Structure formats: structure tokens, C-alpha cells
Amino acid sequence: MEQESETNIVLTKPFSLGNGNESDSEVYSAPNILQRILSLLTNVRPGSDLTRFQLPPQFNFPKSQLQCYGESIYSSTSDLLSRCNTGQSPLERLIFVVAWSISTTRPAIFGVAPYNPTLGETHHVSKGNLNVLLEQASHHPPVSALHATDEKENIEIIWCQYPVPKFNGTSVEAQVHGKRQLKLINHGETYEMNSPHLLIKILPVPGIDWVGNVNIKCIETGLVAELCYTSQSFFGFGGSKRLIKGKIIDSSSLKILHEVNGHWDSTVTLKETRSGEIRVIYDAKEVISGLQAPTLKDAESVWLTESALIWSELSQAILSKDWEKAREAKKAVEERQRELLRERESKGETWVPKHFILSQSKEGIWDCSPIQKWVPASPIVTL
């Protein structure tokens, strides 16, 4: 399940569609989970912002939110990202980008959540020529920045996103704000997109799913994909789970070119409106099945801010189900953060990200710009 090095780095498998004989839900489950969640939310009012809500370690799985974001980029068994470059036309490239965007949607597990990243925490992993770097650019609000580059393919990815979880009485919806960009530099194309939201249903039927509208637009060509993620009905009966529907539009003429239909955890098809031809553009089993944990190539080169290092003691304790040690480890990380904050305040210092420039618009929208043109190779690698 995990890999531990001499420098106490714990790397775990990404969430995928089946990891061997043991399912993800079995690995990361906590006892009496629904009862525990209800007891936690007893004093939380509907509409409350949960960004400062702290979970006990029994409700965590052994990785940081930064690692979850990073895994959606570097963990796959099919290289959909490089395929985006191979499209012979702007429309074909947009279709490949749609498939890649769907691949970043990963299964979630009811009742457990990743750690809230610490301020300045980083996660840095390489997969072949693709180097991925994330940094927690802000703590309140929790803004995470991602920069990934592939110098061979001339591809760049920039994400800036921040979840805003709110309790709605019978559910928690984590709205993922921010912008995602994918740049195909060889074609001079930039694709902008957003993320679906995570809906956690508590009553009447517990469950978790991705929901909401995702728009993918190529700025230069005007081609647009409009996708809609839907879940089961309120009562958990009827309707399809993990359903995705949408269309690809030429924004200049408003003409619908293709229809998108399927399930993001199985297959997604594309139907050409003119000819009626249908083809599969995404097969989850080929892309996010049997994913393996990253491996440590050079322990001495790992940054002190690396997620897998900062949270290593807590992750190991969770994997061992040593909850007393887990509470102590989580408390130690949190106390270290409070200590660093007190030091900055005593010196009158303002913390700034190391790898990104963080800005906020007049409308309150956060944006992150990477400082380096290319992300360097990482001592942590994955196949």
C-alpha cells in the first residue's frame, strides 16, 4: 500500500478504479462513518463555510489535497495529455482535450478526506518528460497552485483553484473555484476550463459524487465544450450515477458539432451531429485503473516542503490505524504552522509563495502565475 524511505517519506497509491484485490474504500474506511459525520456536524449551521473546519485523523486518508490534485495530472495508465498534441485539426485537438479533462475526475470515497495543505507546502513529481509542481499559495482561503510542463511535447498546464465547502443540512457541497489552463504551445492554443464540484450526501442515502457544469474553451479557435456532471436523485433512487453529458459548439456560429454522453468512471462517447457517427473518446478502465504509487528516486533531493514528507508520520499512523499516534502527529504539524505564523507576525513579515505569483481581482477571483517557465525534474517519479 505504501512506500516509506529513510527520510520518512510516505507515498500511497492514487485513487483509481480498483487497486488489486483490495478496493480503495476498504483501504481508507473508518468505522461507523455516518454516525461520526452526523456527530461532527451537529453544531454546524446550514450555509456555513467549512474551510476552517478541522477533521480528526480518523476522517483523513493518508495524503494531502495537493497530492490529490497532482495525481489527477501525473497518475494515468494512458497518455491522454500527449495525445492532445496529435489532433490534425482544432476540433480534433479539442476532443482530445475534453477526454483529458474528464480523466482528471477521480473517484472519491465517502467519509474520508485528504489533509488540508499547510501554507507553502509543495508536491513535486515527474512522469517521463512531464514535471508537475504544486504549492499551497494561501491558507485562508485555501488556494492551491499547479504548474506542469512537458518540454518534449511543448505542453504547459496551470491551475489555480480553491474549494469552498458549505454545509447544506443534508449534504456538503465543495464548490471548486478557480481556473485551469492547458497550453498546446506547438499549436498556439490555450484551453481554459473549470472543475466540477464535489457533492457529499449525508441523508437520506450517504454518497459522494462530482456534479456541476464544466466549460472547456479554446481561446484562439472559439470552439467550446459544455459538459454536465450529474449524480443520483436526492433519495438515491433513479437516474444514473457518475453521468456526464454535453456538447461541442462552434461559438462563432453557435452550431452544435458533437454530443457527449456517458459515465466518467466507465466510457464516454462522442456523436457527430451531422453524420450520426458515434465513437468512444474516453475509457476510464484504460486510463485510471490499477494506478501505482510514485517512487522515491533521490531522497536527499526532496524538498522539506514536500507533502509526502510533511505528513509522513500522520500518514504512517493512519495506515497502521494507530489513532493516538495519528492525533499527536496531526497536532504537531498544526502547532508548527501556528509557530511559524507567530514568528512572521513578530517580525512583521508577510508570507509569499516561492514558486507562484498570487493575485486577486477586484471581483475577488484568485489567480496564480508560475515564476519558472519550465518545472524541473523531481526526485519523486511515477510510471
Side-chain angles (χ1 to χ4, degrees), residues 41-233:
L41 297 174
T42 300
N43 298 317
V44 180
R45 294 180 178 178
S48 297
D49 183 347
L50 300 180
T51 54
R52 296 176 184 266
F53 192 71
Q54 294 296 324
L55 291 171
Q58 288 93 335
F59 290 89
N60 288 125
F61 52 76
K63 63 179 81 231
S64 167
Q65 181 66 69
L66 285 191
Q67 291 170 279
C68 295
Y69 288 148
E71 287 171 358
S72 66
I73 299 293
Y74 63 70
S75 287
S76 66
T77 50
S78 179
D79 192 2
L80 293 183
L81 186 60
S82 295
R83 199 179 301 173
C84 295
N85 253 346
T86 64
Q88 297 301 305
S89 68
L91 179 57
E92 277 299 305
R93 288 192 291 275
L94 176 68
I95 291 170
F96 284 134
V97 171
V98 168
W100 172 78
S101 176
I102 295 171
S103 78
T104 64
T105 307
R106 301 299 170 93
I109 297 175
F110 177 79
V112 285
Y115 317 133
N116 292 327
T118 62
L119 187 62
E121 178 181 327
T122 60
H123 183 50
H124 186 202
V125 176
S126 291
K127 179 181 182 177
N129 297 303
L130 178 67
N131 302 316
V132 183
L133 171 62
L134 298 100
E135 182 177 20
Q136 192 65 16
S138 170
H139 198 248
H140 297 296
V143 181
S144 302
L146 179 149
H147 188 209
T149 57
D150 186 328
E151 291 189 60
K152 181 180 178 181
E153 294 287 344
N154 255 356
I155 291 176
E156 182 179 32
I157 303 168
I158 302 172
W159 285 6
C160 179
Q161 53 192 41
Y162 43 104
V164 180
K166 290 189 176 181
F167 179 52
N168 299 319
T170 59
S171 65
V172 175
E173 183 172 3
Q175 297 183 355
V176 184
H177 296 274
K179 182 173 62 178
R180 299 177 171 186
Q181 283 189 333
L182 169 61
K183 298 181 180 182
L184 303 180
I185 300 172
N186 289 344
H187 300 285
E189 294 173 349
T190 297
Y191 297 83
E192 291 190 348
M193 63 202 78
N194 61 304
S195 169
H197 304 320
L198 190 62
L199 178 63
I200 305 166
K201 296 180 182 178
I202 303 170
L203 294 172
V205 179
I208 185 169
D209 206 354
W210 293 99
V211 299
N213 297 321
V214 172
N215 292 329
I216 305 170
K217 180 178 181 179
C218 179
I219 298 174
E220 291 77 16
T221 66
L223 293 172
V224 178
E226 297 178 353
L227 307 177
C228 180
Y229 288 73
T230 58
S231 184
Q232 290 176 314
S233 66

Side-chain angles (χ1 to χ4, degrees), residues 118-119 332-341 344:
T118 62
L119 187 62
V333 173
E334 293 168 350
E335 181 54 41
R336 175 57 178 162
Q337 289 303 297
R338 287 190 285 267
E339 180 183 335
L340 292 173
L341 175 60
R344 288 194 298 270

Side-chain angles (χ1 to χ4, degrees), residues 28-31 33 36 55-61 111-113 314 318 323-324 326-327 330:
Y28 297 117
S29 62
I33 196 69
R36 289 167 179 261
L55 291 171
Q58 288 93 335
F59 290 89
N60 288 125
F61 52 76
V112 285
L314 176 54
I318 290 175
W323 302 118
E324 182 60 34
R327 283 189 290 271
K330 191 167 189 178

